[in-house]
Amino acid sequence: MANPEEMYQCQTLNCGYIYNPDKGDRKGKIPAGTKFHDIPDTWRCPICGASKAMFKPLAGSGSVLEENTLSTQDNSTETIKTKEIKEDGNMKKYRCTICGYVYDPVAGDPGAGIPPGTPFESLPADWVCPICGAKKDDFEPEA
């Protein structure tokens, strides 16, 4: 049985598909035993069609549970657990009004080089929705 560090979960809104290397992906013609890192970059989530970049490991490096280093107001750094970021009321999620994708600052947008812990307000002006390509102006805070 695969370890959680070897399983990857789609981070797209309302998907949550988990790639298990023990099973592979019959729809995508990925044979059982294929590690996530060995899947071609052109592979898509069999449920929602998201790119490989929208997946995070269930545990370990790069996972939602990973410890993150964030800069503090006095320019020092502190290491905190992602759970603590979620509890910070200043880290609001934003929903794309075009496709429904939710930008979660806890997860960031690794496919675009946005690290976990990046507030929506700190995203570059040219950042776009990883699903539909909508601009930042097309996002609104989640209630």
Side-chain angles (χ1 to χ4, degrees):
M1 181 173 182
N3 293 323
E5 294 84 6
E6 299 169 325
M7 296 180 183
Y8 282 70
Q9 185 173 29
C10 183
Q11 301 298 303
T12 303
L13 178 68
N14 295 328
C15 183
Y17 169 79
I18 296 175
Y19 175 78
N20 182 343
D22 290 344
K23 296 180 180 180
D25 172 22
R26 288 181 53 196
K27 182 178 178 182
K29 298 183 177 158
I30 306 296
T34 304
K35 294 184 182 207
F36 187 79
H37 295 312
D38 295 333
I39 297 173
D41 289 337
T42 56
W43 177 79
R44 297 289 188 171
C45 175
I47 304 299
C48 70
S51 70
K52 188 176 169 184
M54 290 301 298
F55 281 73
K56 286 186 173 268
L58 292 180
S61 179
S63 73
V64 176
L65 300 177
E66 175 184 42
E67 288 186 352
N68 298 299
T69 302
L70 299 177
S71 295
T72 58
Q73 289 181 343
D74 63 356
N75 291 328
S76 64
T77 59
E78 66 182 65
T79 301
I80 60 175
K81 297 274 187 196
T82 301
K83 181 180 178 190
E84 294 173 28
I85 296 172
K86 287 182 181 177
E87 293 169 357
D88 181 355
N90 297 326
M91 300 289 277
K92 292 182 182 177
K93 294 180 181 181
Y94 281 73
R95 181 179 302 277
C96 177
T97 59
I98 307 299
C99 72
Y101 166 80
V102 175
Y103 173 78
D104 184 351
V106 171
D109 182 4
I114 307 297
T118 303
F120 185 82
E121 296 80 6
S122 298
L123 294 174
D126 62 349
W127 179 83
V128 296
C129 176
I131 303 301
C132 71
K135 297 179 181 178
K136 274 181 72 174
D137 292 345
D138 294 316
F139 280 73
E140 57 188 27
E142 259 197 339

